[in-house]
Amino acid sequence: MDEIVLMSDPRVAAIPVGECGEPLVDVRRGGALLVDTRKQDPADAFAHLREGVLERLLEAQALLPPGLRLLFVEGYRPPSLQREYFEEYAGRLRGENPDWSGARIHAAASRYVSPPDIAPHSAGAAVDLTLADGGGRELDLGTRMNADPEESGGACYTHAAGIGEEAAANRKLLGAVLTAAGLVNYPTEWWHWSYGDRYWALVTGQAAALYGPREITPRG
C-alpha cells in the first residue's frame, strides 16, 4: 500500500480476528536478541511477543550484516496501558489544538499511539525496535525511538526526507530484513513493526488477523 493508512482508519477495525491461540513468549529466552529495558514494567510484559512474531524477528536478525543486531525495546502492552498512552497523547493534542474536532484528534493521535481497541501491541503482535552494533550501541536512524511527529517535525515517519544518508541507509536496512521476514511497518513510526495483527492483515491482503488483543499476564 503506497498511501499512509492510519490505525484509526475504519478499514483496520473492519478486519476480523481469527485468534489462533498462539502463546506470548519471553523474547529474552536464549539471549538471541538484545533487549533494552527502557520500557520495562513490573510484570515484564514488555519483553513478550507472540511466538510467531519472535520467530520472524530471529529470521530478520539472521539477515543482518555481521556485527549488527536488532535491539528490542517493547513488545506486548496490556490494553489498560495502551488506553492510558492513547488518552494521554490525545489529551495533549486537544489542548494544543482546541479547534480540532473529536474525529481529527482521534486520527491525529493514531499517528503515534494506536487506538486501544485495535492496538497491535496489545495483541502481542507488534514490536518497537532498532539496530545496534555488536557492543549494543544504537545506530543512527534519524530520530530517537518514540519521537512523536510534533517533536521530530515528521522525521519519525519511516520515509521522511532530510534525515541524513547514514540514518536513511540504516532505516532501509532495518526495513529490508524485517520485510523479508514477513513483518509490516507502521509508516508514521520507523521503529514499529508487526505481524499477524489487523494492520498487517490489511497491508498484506489477508482475510483476517491471526492475533487479537490479550488481557493476560505473559508467561515463559
Side-chain angles (χ1 to χ4, degrees):
M1 304 177 73
D2 294 328
E3 64 174 316
I4 292 182
V5 178
L6 296 177
M7 289 286 182
S8 59
D9 193 297
R11 288 174 290 177
V12 180
I15 297 289
V17 176
E19 174 59 57
C20 68
E22 196 174 278
L24 286 164
V25 295
D26 193 327
V27 305
R28 296 169 295 187
R29 68 181 188 185
L33 289 180
L34 289 174
V35 178
D36 188 286
T37 58
R38 74 188 77 171
K39 301 294 284 187
Q40 188 169 19
D41 58 285
D44 275 353
F46 86 106
H48 289 74
L49 286 174
R50 296 289 189 134
E51 196 167 39
V53 184
L54 175 56
E55 290 172 356
R56 284 164 176 79
L57 287 187
L58 297 179
E59 291 175 13
Q61 180 162 266
L63 298 173
L64 288 171
L68 295 183
R69 297 181 69 183
L70 297 178
L71 178 62
F72 175 100
V73 175
E74 187 179 17
Y76 174 70
R77 187 183 296 157
S80 58
L81 183 57
Q82 183 70 32
R83 189 172 299 108
E84 179 183 324
Y85 285 171
F86 185 82
E87 291 176 355
E88 179 182 354
Y89 185 52
R92 188 180 118 200
L93 291 175
R94 194 176 296 110
E96 294 172 351
N97 305 279
D99 57 326
W100 284 11
S101 68
R104 185 173 180 182
I105 292 292
H106 188 80
S110 78
R111 296 170 305 161
Y112 182 58
V113 186
S114 176
D117 54 328
I118 53 92
H121 279 289
S122 295
V127 56
D128 293 341
L129 79 176
T130 187
L131 290 173
D133 63 19
R137 292 177 291 271
E138 290 183 48
L139 302 189
D140 176 15
L141 275 88
T143 73
R144 72 174 184 88
M145 278 197 61
N146 295 314
D148 63 45
E150 291 75 30
E151 171 193 333
S152 68
C156 60
Y157 281 46
T158 305
H159 299 293
I163 61 171
E165 290 185 12
E166 182 179 356
N170 288 334
R171 286 192 190 185
K172 184 176 180 180
L173 174 60
L174 181 67
V177 299
L178 291 168
T179 299
L183 285 85
V184 301
N185 173 242
Y186 189 43
T188 62
E189 300 176 339
W190 59 259
W191 57 84
H192 177 106
W193 292 78
S194 68
Y195 171 83
D197 61 297
R198 284 168 159 160
Y199 197 83
W200 164 86
L202 180 67
V203 171
T204 59
Q206 303 299 311
L210 304 176
Y211 312 131
R214 305 294 293 270
E215 189 73 79
I216 61 172
T217 300
R219 295 181 182 180

